[in-house]
Amino acid sequence: MATSKRVALAPRAVRQLRRIRPVYFGGMLISLLVLVLQADGDPGGRQAGVAGLFLLAFTALFALTAVQLWRHGRGVHCSTAKKLTRTV
């Protein structure tokens, strides 16, 4: 398996990823709610299919964002990661 060179994210990109994360999570919740509500009426309808597609898209975007932030935070050599890491 080939190793890829890790490039640290710019501070602006990290802020944007952290800001968009709740939006993706909210989209997942709304899509799931619509999917559950549509299951009662017409389980094979077009609206249920669209809600499922939105749920899949928001889940993929949320996962991608989480992985990018996780990989960025793992970079101990990166000063941006050190500055933006919350210390408890």
Side-chain angles (χ1 to χ4, degrees), residues 59-75:
T59 304
L61 289 170
F62 183 78
L64 179 66
T65 302
V67 167
Q68 284 179 333
L69 287 171
W70 175 73
R71 287 186 68 193
H72 176 75
R74 284 187 59 214

Side-chain angles (χ1 to χ4, degrees), residues 2-80:
T3 59
S4 62
K5 182 178 178 183
R6 293 186 184 172
V7 178
L9 295 171
R12 181 177 180 188
V14 174
R15 282 192 309 270
Q16 288 174 342
L17 285 173
R18 287 189 176 163
R19 238 183 258 140
I20 199 71
R21 211 174 17 180
V23 174
Y24 291 153
F25 188 72
M28 284 171 37
L29 289 178
I30 291 172
S31 299
L32 184 63
L33 179 68
V34 169
L35 196 61
V36 168
L37 291 176
Q38 288 298 321
D40 292 339
D42 186 17
R46 178 182 283 175
Q47 291 177 348
V50 171
L53 185 65
F54 277 133
L55 179 62
L56 181 67
F58 279 122
T59 304
L61 289 170
F62 183 78
L64 179 66
T65 302
V67 167
Q68 284 179 333
L69 287 171
W70 175 73
R71 287 186 68 193
H72 176 75
R74 284 187 59 214
V76 292
H77 65 280
C78 177
S79 65
T80 306

